[in-house]
Amino acid sequence: MSDDELTDIRKQKRDQLESNLRGDGGSTAKEAASGPAEPIHVDGASELEDAVASYDVVLVDFYADWCGPCKILEPTVKKLAENTDAAVAKVDVDANQELAAQYQVRGVPTMVLFAGGEAVEQLVGVRGYDDLQSLVESTLA
């Protein structure tokens, strides 16, 4: 089975589960704005701007490959991408130093939450899945 087929199956299952949770038996118009099931790797300000413009809510993980806490946070970031309607983006601060400076990222991991095209929250350090999911879900509501 190819990665595309697996992605399609996951999306169908997620849509089905969301429909069951809503109890409406159908889909919502908001699905067009829901994020991908995988984190988006962003390289540069224009790619970040595109992601923020394309989705209602975007959680951006500023990370570094050498950062131990970033590695601890990685499975949580992937799980958020799979289980929320928000888009999740990853920015390597070493490759995108100007972008990190633009958002005043002084330590990693730092997460910046965008809603409606604007940065609305910044979190520094490792956070648990439940905390991040609650933040994202409250922003989506």
Side-chain angles (χ1 to χ4, degrees), residues 38-70:
E38 296 277 324
I40 305 164
H41 288 270
V42 171
D43 189 27
S46 64
E47 286 186 22
L48 181 59
E49 288 168 12
D50 289 347
V52 169
S54 298
Y55 302 102
D56 295 335
V57 177
V58 181
L59 181 67
V60 181
D61 174 22
F62 287 89
Y63 75 98
D65 289 332
W66 48 263
C67 167
C70 298

Side-chain angles (χ1 to χ4, degrees), residues 57-117:
V57 177
V58 181
L59 181 67
V60 181
D61 174 22
F62 287 89
Y63 75 98
D65 289 332
W66 48 263
C67 167
C70 298
K71 291 178 183 176
I72 292 169
L73 189 61
E74 189 169 349
T76 301
V77 170
K78 285 183 180 178
K79 188 175 175 183
L80 277 168
E82 292 171 3
N83 296 315
T84 67
D85 283 341
V88 178
K90 293 182 65 72
V91 176
D92 181 343
V93 296
D94 291 328
N96 295 281
Q97 292 178 6
E98 289 177 15
L99 188 57
Q102 179 180 341
Y103 289 98
Q104 301 172 354
V105 174
R106 294 183 179 88
V108 286
T110 293
M111 297 220 206
V112 179
L113 183 67
F114 290 85

